[in-house]
Amino acid sequence: MSTTEPAHPVLSLRGVAFERAGRSILRSVDWEVGEGQRWVVLGPNGCGKTTLARIATMWEHPSGGEIELLGERLGNTDVRSLRRRVSLVSAAMADMVRPALTALEVVVCARFAALEPWWHSYSDADMERAAAMLADQGLADFSGRAFGTLSSGERQRVLLARAVMSRPEFLVLDEPSAGLDLAGREQLLERLDVLASDPGAAPTVLVTHHVEEIPPSYTHVLALREGRTLASGPLDDTLSDELLSACFGLSVRLDRHDSPSGVRYSARQDR
Ligand SMILES: Nc1ncnc2c1ncn2[C@@H]1O[C@H](COP(=O)(O)OP(=O)(O)OP(=O)(O)O)[C@@H](O)[C@H]1O
Ligand SMILES: [Mg+2]
């Protein structure tokens, strides 16, 4: 695995800071995401992961630093049109979906970056693509089901189908496994690996607290603590007992498990 910096990063952050209510929430974050990379952003509650995810997708404006996304520099570009080229999936977005919408409607309305289907008309190709995205998530039989009647795991997979509907050039998933049981988490990880196996897959960032939630197809990790970068680089070289211990503030033992689909991780307190 290459450790060199990508020649043309999809996302580049230099010295990014974020302050609110007199508090420093992110401090001097440098980060480059390249084509073909899939990053995990790891860190404890409140360390700034969601803030970073929102800044990286242009939903939040940093207090300082420089950002380039998809070749456009923040400050010299229309952020609304740039946002249409990226997808952010988060709990906040799930809460905005009207529960009566069908799974198919939730997916197809991403075609126009909308949360309701009625302001736009959709071509047969749009409907077919939405159905195919649901099928890719193992939800072919769920297209007519109301979003509000789906389980948490099924909803997450609908949101993932929605996230890729518009062919984003950069995909950010903020804690997609939150609230899922073991089977739901494993299904979601498998679907993330399936997405990643597409040769045209967008570079992706997955925010999580848990190394158990790192899909085998993921390549890099950025570890945050109290708004600062502790480490960033290829997973194999970067993730360690020492890094996790520093990140979560307790003595942690990391275990690697080889599986047919790649490396999985687990962690526990080292007593
Ligand atoms: N707009 C804001 N105003 C004030 N404080 C904020 C704002 N946005 C975030 N914060 C604070 O910044 C810190 C980082 O928040 P953030 O949501 O980015 O953390 P996180 O790493 O995603 O946490 P979690 O793992 O719990 O989701 C928190 O202490 C939060 O209360
Ligand atoms: Mg968060």
Side-chain angles (χ1 to χ4, degrees):
M1 198 179 292
S2 167
T3 56
T4 53
E5 293 296 318
H8 296 291
V10 172
L11 172 72
S12 164
L13 269 58
R14 291 195 197 289
V16 163
F18 186 79
E19 281 145 27
R20 278 293 181 277
R23 265 190 64 208
S24 199
I25 290 162
L26 291 175
R27 305 162 205 233
S28 195
V29 174
D30 295 332
W31 186 23
E32 288 204 346
V33 175
E35 284 294 349
Q37 295 181 346
R38 285 174 290 280
W39 283 75
V40 178
V41 173
L42 197 63
N45 288 125
C47 70
K49 302 180 299 299
T50 294
T51 306
L52 185 64
R54 290 176 57 77
I55 288 174
T57 49
M58 302 274 162
W59 285 98
E60 195 80 74
H61 201 89
S63 314
E66 289 176 15
I67 303 185
E68 263 186 58
L69 176 62
L70 303 171
E72 306 284 339
R73 183 178 289 270
L74 180 65
N76 295 337
T77 189
D78 172 12
V79 292
R80 280 170 304 177
S81 61
L82 197 48
R83 264 184 221 146
R84 286 179 175 245
R85 297 169 60 193
V86 306
S87 276
L88 170 65
V89 178
S90 64
M93 211 216 73
D95 291 343
M96 289 191 298
V97 174
R98 192 159 56 84
L101 292 184
T102 65
L104 192 68
E105 286 172 326
V106 173
V107 176
V108 80
C109 63
R111 168 79 177 76
F112 300 100
L115 276 168
E116 289 286 350
W118 53 52
W119 292 299
H120 303 281
S121 54
Y122 300 93
S123 65
D124 289 349
D126 292 337
M127 300 309 285
E128 279 164 23
R129 179 166 172 83
M133 296 300 96
L134 278 175
D136 280 355
Q137 294 303 320
L139 294 172
D141 296 336
F142 288 70
S143 57
R145 282 275 299 278
F147 188 75
T149 68
L150 301 176
S151 76
S152 308
E154 290 157 359
R155 277 182 216 189
Q156 284 300 342
R157 280 150 57 210
V158 169
L159 293 176
L160 213 52
R162 177 187 157 85
V164 291
M165 170 74 197
S166 54
R167 297 185 172 85
E169 295 165 69
F170 181 51
L171 177 60
V172 178
L173 310 168
D174 189 357
E175 289 196 55
S177 312
L180 302 192
D181 71 10
L182 186 58
R185 181 191 81 189
E186 292 299 305
Q187 274 175 355
L188 188 75
L189 261 61
E190 201 182 317
R191 297 296 157 182
L192 291 173
D193 281 338
V194 169
L195 277 185
S197 68
D198 181 337
T204 304
V205 172
L206 170 76
V207 172
T208 183
H209 307 109
H210 302 296
V211 296
E212 289 79 359
E213 295 178 356
I214 302 177
S217 59
Y218 276 54
T219 59
H220 289 71
V221 61
L222 173 77
L224 288 179
R225 181 172 172 86
E226 294 174 358
R228 290 181 200 278
T229 308
L230 285 182
S232 82
L235 268 165
D236 284 354
D237 310 344
T238 312
L239 206 56
S240 65
D241 295 350
E242 293 74 24
L243 177 64
L244 285 184
S245 303
C247 193
F248 290 96
L250 79 169
S251 180
V252 173
R253 177 169 155 190
L254 173 73
D255 288 307
R256 287 182 163 77
H257 311 272
D258 287 317
S259 78
S261 51
V263 178
R264 293 288 302 270
Y265 298 93
S266 64
R268 60 185 165 83
Q269 187 169 9
D270 193 11
R271 294 176 198 270

